[in-house]
């Protein structure tokens, strides 16, 4: 790809057709002619005080990224989704911070004497010449958005003197973009506590952190203070990455602001606390579970982002094979018995249960759940949240629920003997009970019930099926390409039934869509344990895990997690490396 290159004070610009930004977006198929006309009319109403690209973004006909990427392509300049990981801190000293902020330019790295610089405004050739004069180096230009520049600028600056860019950083968020629901106003006066949590820059920064997390589909937000540093990280598709580094002096105010939003005690910093926030982002409700933990350099905060849109999925969208989905549906249609979903924390168990319950909803069926906490609201389902402090435990709630004439009961997790016994007894008295366990595979669920004290004969009589699952990152469809599988991974694949002979797979090379990771989104892999008569007889005698696994594999219809993952690797949905991070051969 040809790029704009500055060498010895001369700017060499590629020749492009003299089209306006609207024509470029139209030519790229990003907007329609009607949308372009509407944007031009809007720009005219504003007295041409805004660029057409800004108007198109405001009207939500295109994103900032699409506008900048289109213009960059028209100028034969690479486009980059700017992030602090792309910046070499050493090269930042080549350009004064004031110049970077004023002109929205960011030096990235220097290779073979040539400096690569990200810029927001591509048309300013004189700016490129000025950068060359300041650095005394030939310069290669790449394009980025103003929003990405500001976030990276905040992350890369030294902590001292950083607060002046906070308002600029969050300037793209309109006042009504994020709204806190039912916020307690009693604790907003914080002057007596010596904090600035009610100061506008702090409020806007916290709103920006939450807003960006929702936009990037993050499942968790980590606010992590350390010595002379405050780090904000997001967990996206199961992996953490650093989003920004606000000034560390803001740590007390940021933490206090979050605690106020979550109706927590801001004066208590010595013990862990839990709370909840509901915000409206882009006119849809987002629930946030907040946990604080006192540390050496201040309180660490983790916020679990619960977007109800994420659970509005069907079982077909979760990644089941056709045969396994049909078998799972037949199990959960049983009139009674226990059905379990197992896997580690964050493996998608709740999403699978909610998708399953959604298929069982019927006006003739009473479905009730006992959860800690209620993560998502399901229409047509009675949902109850436990409260250990009030004595409303899983066992107590389940015992009371049996007097509520239920047909289907979902228990968030079987944690102890009392809950396990009540669940199995409910299953034996005509109820379908669905729940979760934390085990590595499906057969292990049987011995886990034994370990907590549930009698083997109860397990054998009540258990209908166990579904084990993991979540794997999906290969980015925008940048995936076939690759040779390394020899060591080929040998590992040979240990999986059906894995012999594979020498090619797909891998994402990294692009703006996937934040250069090569992955976008996640998909489930599953194994389903449905005991037959022989297995049930062995379970009733208290069979060992090795015996259960041997009998399960000998049944002939069993697909392991590794085998299901292998099929998704073969189909190009995920990578070999991702498979082996989740399961062992």
């Amino acid at each position: 790809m040809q790029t704009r290159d500055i060498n010895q004070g001369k700017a060499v610009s590629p020749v492009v057709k003299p089209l306006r930004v609207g024509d470029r977006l139209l030519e790229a198929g990003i907007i329609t002619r009607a949308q372009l006309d509407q944007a031009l009319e809007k720009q005219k109403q504003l007295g041409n005080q805004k660029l057409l690209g800004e108007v198109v973004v405001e009207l939500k006909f295109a994103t900032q990224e699409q506008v900048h990427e289109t213009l960059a392509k028209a100028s034969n300049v690479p486009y980059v989704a700017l992030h602090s990981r792309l910046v070499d801190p050493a090269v930042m000293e080549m350009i004064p911070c004031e110049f970077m902020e004023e002109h929205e330019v960011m030096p990235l790295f220097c290779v073979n004497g040539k400096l690569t610089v990200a810029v927001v405004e591509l048309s300013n050739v004189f700016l490129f010449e000025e950068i060359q004069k300041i650095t005394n180096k030939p310069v290669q230009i790449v394009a980025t958005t103003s929003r990405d520049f500001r976030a990276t600028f905040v992350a890369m600056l030294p902590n001292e003197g950083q607060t002046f860019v906070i308002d600029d950083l969050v300037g793209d968020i309109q006042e009504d973009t994020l709204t806190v629901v039912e916020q307690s106003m009693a604790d907003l006066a914080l002057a007596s506590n010596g904090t600035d949590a009610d100061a506008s820059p702090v409020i806007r920064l916290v709103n920006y952190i939450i807003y960006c997390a929702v936009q990037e589909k993050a499942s968790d937000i980590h606010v992590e203070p350390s010595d002379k540093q405050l780090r904000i990280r997001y967990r996206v598709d199961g992996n953490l990455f650093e989003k920004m580094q606000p000034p560390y002096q803001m740590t007390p105010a940021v933490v206090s602001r979050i605690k106020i939003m979550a109706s927590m005690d801001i004066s208590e910093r010595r013990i862990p606390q839990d709370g909840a926030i509901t915000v409206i982002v882009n006119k849809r409700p987002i629930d946030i579970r907040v946990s604080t933990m006192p540390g050496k350099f201040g309180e660490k905060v983790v916020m679990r982002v619960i977007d109800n849109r994420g659970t509005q999925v069907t079982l077909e969208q979760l990644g089941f094979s056709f045969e396994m989905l049909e078998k799972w549906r037949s199990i959960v249609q049983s009139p009674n018995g226990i059905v379990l979903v197992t896997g580690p924390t964050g493996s998608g168990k709740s999403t699978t249960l909610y998708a399953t319950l959604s298929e069982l909803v019927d006006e003739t069926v009473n479905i009730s759940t006992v959860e800690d906490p209620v993560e998502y609201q399901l229409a047509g389902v009675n949902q109850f949240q436990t409260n250990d402090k009030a004595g409303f435990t899983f066992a107590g709630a389940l015992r009371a629920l049996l007097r509520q004439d239920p047909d289907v009961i979902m228990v968030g997790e079987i944690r102890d003997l009392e809950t396990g016994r009540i669940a199995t007894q409910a299953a034996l008295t005509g109820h379908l009970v669905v729940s979760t366990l934390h085990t590595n595979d499906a057969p292990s669920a049987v011995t886990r019930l034994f370990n907590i004290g549930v009698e083997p004969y109860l397990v054998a009589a009540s258990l209908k099926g166990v579904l084990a699952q993991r979540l794997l990152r999906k290969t980015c469809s925008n940048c995936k390409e076939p690759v040779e599988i390394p020899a060591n991974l080929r040998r590992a694949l040979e240990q999986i039934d059906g894995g012999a002979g594979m020498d090619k797979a797909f891998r994402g090379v990294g692009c703006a869509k996937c934040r250069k990771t090569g992955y976008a989104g996640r998909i489930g892999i599953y194994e389903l344990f449905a005991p037959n008569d022989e297995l049930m007889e062995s379970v009733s005698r208290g069979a060992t895990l090795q015996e259960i696994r041997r009998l399960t594999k000998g049944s002939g219809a069993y697909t392991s997690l590794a085998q299901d993952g292998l099929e998704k690797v073969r189909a190009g949905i995920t990578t070999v490396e991702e498979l082996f991070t989740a399961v062992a051969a």
Side-chain angles (χ1 to χ4, degrees):
M1 177 181 291
Q2 183 182 3
T3 59
R4 198 185 299 265
D5 189 25
I6 303 170
N7 198 350
Q8 299 180 353
K10 296 181 180 180
V12 181
S13 302
V15 178
V16 296
K17 293 186 290 184
L19 290 179
R20 300 172 301 175
V21 60
D23 296 318
R24 291 291 184 187
L25 294 170
L26 186 64
E27 187 181 69
I30 294 173
I31 62 174
T32 65
R33 171 58 64 179
Q35 289 174 328
L36 175 57
D37 293 341
Q38 186 178 340
L40 289 169
E41 180 62 28
K42 179 72 171 180
Q43 186 186 35
K44 185 178 179 182
Q45 293 173 3
L46 296 172
N48 293 316
Q49 294 180 1
K50 290 191 174 183
L51 296 174
L52 183 61
E54 294 176 315
V55 176
V56 169
V57 173
E58 278 189 11
L59 292 173
K60 298 183 179 180
F61 294 156
T63 64
Q64 268 195 24
E65 290 76 11
Q66 288 174 318
V67 171
H68 281 262
E69 190 168 5
T70 300
L71 291 177
K73 189 176 296 184
S75 301
N76 290 329
V77 172
Y79 171 81
V80 62
L82 189 58
H83 189 276
S84 59
R85 288 174 294 184
L86 298 177
V87 182
D88 181 354
V91 306
M92 287 196 65
E93 299 177 1
M94 296 182 180
I95 300 179
C97 290
E98 295 78 7
F99 185 91
M100 284 190 284
E101 184 192 11
E102 179 182 355
H103 298 287
E104 294 190 313
V105 300
M106 176 66 66
L108 303 182
F109 42 81
C110 190
V111 178
N112 295 328
K114 181 179 290 186
L115 179 66
T116 299
V117 180
V119 302
V120 174
E121 180 53 64
L122 287 175
S123 61
N124 190 348
V125 177
F126 298 106
L127 173 62
F128 309 152
E129 294 178 350
E130 186 67 19
I131 296 172
Q132 192 272 338
K133 291 177 182 178
I134 292 173
T135 62
N136 196 28
K137 288 184 179 295
V139 175
Q140 176 174 292
I141 297 300
V142 298
T144 191
T145 66
S146 180
R147 179 182 300 154
D148 284 349
F149 164 79
R150 292 172 185 175
T152 305
F153 185 65
V154 169
M156 294 304 299
L157 273 179
N159 280 316
E160 290 77 7
Q162 231 180 24
T163 54
F164 72 98
V165 298
I166 293 297
D167 284 345
D168 291 336
L169 173 67
V170 298
D172 293 327
I173 301 182
Q174 303 299 319
E175 290 295 326
D176 59 349
T177 301
L178 186 146
T179 305
V180 182
V181 178
E182 296 181 356
Q183 176 183 330
S184 172
M185 302 300 292
D187 295 324
L188 285 180
L190 298 173
S192 60
N193 293 298
T195 67
D196 295 318
D198 57 343
S200 180
V202 176
I203 293 174
R204 297 183 70 194
L205 175 60
V206 172
N207 286 356
Y208 179 76
I209 290 170
I210 296 174
Y211 172 81
C212 288
V214 174
Q215 293 298 101
E216 298 196 27
K217 298 181 175 62
S219 61
D220 299 88
I221 305 169
H222 290 243
V223 181
E224 302 173 321
S226 60
D227 188 20
K228 304 297 183 181
Q229 186 182 68
L230 174 61
R231 181 171 62 169
I232 309 297
R233 294 197 291 171
Y234 293 165
R235 187 178 295 279
V236 178
D237 293 338
N239 283 37
L240 280 169
F241 75 92
E242 186 176 295
K243 177 66 177 179
M244 66 183 78
Q245 288 187 21
Y248 73 91
Q249 298 94 333
M250 297 183 69
T251 300
V254 169
V255 173
S256 293
R257 173 60 187 166
I258 295 171
K259 291 169 76 172
I260 289 169
M261 296 169 70
S263 300
M264 297 159 70
D265 185 356
I266 63 170
S267 65
E268 180 56 76
R269 302 182 181 92
R270 299 167 299 174
I271 60 175
Q273 293 189 64
D274 296 311
I277 305 170
T278 299
V279 297
I280 305 296
V281 178
N282 294 333
K283 299 182 179 180
R284 75 176 192 270
I286 304 293
D287 294 324
I288 300 172
R289 299 209 310 264
V290 182
S291 172
T292 65
M293 178 78 75
K296 181 178 179 180
F297 300 103
E299 291 178 279
K300 178 185 176 182
V301 181
V302 176
M303 295 182 277
R304 169 63 58 88
V305 182
I306 301 173
D307 187 349
N308 280 302
R309 288 196 319 176
T311 59
Q312 295 175 0
V313 294
T314 63
L315 288 173
E316 286 87 350
Q317 296 171 298
L318 295 180
F320 284 96
S321 66
F322 177 79
E323 295 80 7
M324 192 175 295
L325 180 56
E326 290 299 302
K327 194 172 183 180
W328 174 247
R329 280 181 166 147
S330 69
I331 290 173
V332 298
Q333 292 290 342
S334 302
N336 54 66
I338 287 185
V339 179
L340 298 173
V341 179
T342 75
T345 301
S347 60
K349 299 187 297 296
S350 295
T351 301
T352 300
L353 283 180
Y354 282 122
T356 301
L357 290 181
S358 296
E359 291 199 355
L360 299 179
V361 171
D362 188 277
E363 64 178 11
T364 64
V365 178
N366 178 12
I367 303 176
S368 299
T369 73
V370 181
E371 306 172 62
D372 181 25
V374 174
E375 293 190 9
Y376 308 102
Q377 296 180 357
L378 283 176
V381 176
N382 305 294
Q383 296 175 269
F384 304 94
Q385 182 164 316
T386 61
N387 186 339
D388 289 342
K389 293 180 180 178
F392 190 50
T393 62
F394 272 117
L398 185 54
R399 191 180 295 109
L401 196 58
L402 291 174
R403 297 191 288 270
Q404 293 280 314
D405 187 31
D407 296 302
V408 179
I409 302 171
M410 185 188 95
V411 183
E413 181 183 351
I414 296 179
R415 300 176 177 175
D416 51 46
L417 173 58
E418 188 176 9
T419 306
R421 278 182 175 165
I422 297 173
T424 53
Q425 289 166 359
L428 292 173
T429 55
H431 306 90
L432 177 66
V433 179
V434 295
S435 187
T436 68
L437 281 176
H438 291 279
T439 62
N440 290 327
D441 59 11
S444 298
V446 175
T447 53
R448 176 61 55 85
L449 291 174
F450 292 169
N451 292 338
I452 65 175
V454 181
E455 290 81 356
Y457 74 90
L458 285 177
V459 176
S462 60
L463 188 64
K464 296 296 182 182
V466 182
L467 181 75
Q469 66 179 77
R470 299 287 190 279
L471 289 178
L472 303 186
R473 289 182 295 172
K474 295 165 61 177
T475 307
C476 177
S477 59
N478 191 55
C479 64
K480 75 177 182 180
E481 62 180 23
V483 294
E484 295 285 339
I485 301 175
N488 62 323
L489 293 181
R490 284 203 304 270
R491 288 193 295 269
L493 285 174
E494 291 173 359
Q495 305 303 311
I496 304 173
D497 289 342
M502 277 190 65
D503 55 3
K504 288 188 178 181
F506 285 87
R507 180 183 300 164
V509 297
C511 64
K513 181 179 177 182
C514 62
R515 302 182 311 281
K516 304 298 181 182
T517 64
Y519 298 97
R522 289 193 290 179
I523 193 168
I525 58 172
Y526 305 91
E527 68 178 23
L528 184 56
F529 169 77
N532 54 26
D533 292 342
E534 183 182 4
L535 268 168
M536 289 175 64
E537 184 177 346
S538 297
V539 169
S540 67
R541 296 196 306 266
T544 63
L545 179 58
Q546 290 74 17
E547 184 180 355
I548 294 172
R549 283 177 174 164
R550 178 178 56 79
L551 291 172
T552 300
K553 292 180 180 180
S555 65
Y558 177 73
T559 300
S560 69
L561 285 167
Q563 289 171 313
D564 192 41
L566 178 64
E567 292 306 310
K568 292 176 172 63
V569 171
R570 202 187 301 276
I573 298 173
T574 189
T575 64
V576 179
E577 294 85 353
E578 188 68 7
L579 172 62
F580 286 120
T581 61
V583 298

